[in-house]
Amino acid sequence: MIIYGVALLAFCFLTGNYVGDILGALLGVKANVGGVGFAMLLLIVLTNKGIDAGWLDKKGQEGIAFWSAMYIPIVVAMSSIQDVVAALHGGTVAVLGGILGVVLGFAFIPILRKFGA
């Protein structure tokens, strides 16, 4: 059933948004800073811990896989559009920061591949 794993996904989403709101308030920004990223990292960590510890059964894993396939691309697309619009209105420093992040991400792929393979 698809419903299995939704509680874990909801917990990660709500926790990530809460942490993102707190981080935004600490930085003096009136926005959620990294909430989706925190939620995804928490989901990955808890899913792996659940599989290793045995409390996340096969149906729960299938439910999380289904909702991850639906949830992650939509949220990433929504947040990337918002970030681009804000960056273009925010100035060149934000655009250069985004470009630098992408370039560094691509540069680290071969390095991380050596560790994983």
Side-chain angles (χ1 to χ4, degrees), residues 15-17 19-21 23-24 27 31-41 83:
T15 304
N17 276 336
V19 171
D21 287 338
L23 184 59
L27 294 173
N32 185 311
V33 178
V36 172
F38 289 125
M40 290 299 104
L41 289 174
D83 291 342

Side-chain angles (χ1 to χ4, degrees), residues 71-91:
Y71 174 77
I72 293 172
I74 293 169
V75 171
V76 168
M78 287 171 35
S79 64
S80 68
I81 290 170
Q82 291 175 351
D83 291 342
V84 169
V85 171
L88 291 175
H89 288 293

Side-chain angles (χ1 to χ4, degrees), residues 60-78:
Q61 293 173 31
E62 291 172 2
I64 290 172
F66 171 78
W67 285 111
S68 294
M70 298 294 287
Y71 174 77
I72 293 172
I74 293 169
V75 171
V76 168
M78 287 171 35

Side-chain angles (χ1 to χ4, degrees), residues 33-64:
V33 178
V36 172
F38 289 125
M40 290 299 104
L41 289 174
L42 186 61
L43 180 64
I44 291 168
V45 168
L46 289 179
T47 301
N48 288 337
K49 290 244 185 227
I51 293 170
D52 292 342
W55 55 263
L56 187 62
D57 62 352
K58 186 71 173 166
K59 287 185 179 183
Q61 293 173 31
E62 291 172 2
I64 290 172

Side-chain angles (χ1 to χ4, degrees), residues 80 83-84 87-88 91-108:
S80 68
D83 291 342
V84 169
L88 291 175
T92 57
V93 174
V95 174
L96 290 176
I99 291 171
L100 182 63
V102 171
V103 169
L104 286 175
F106 280 118
F108 276 107

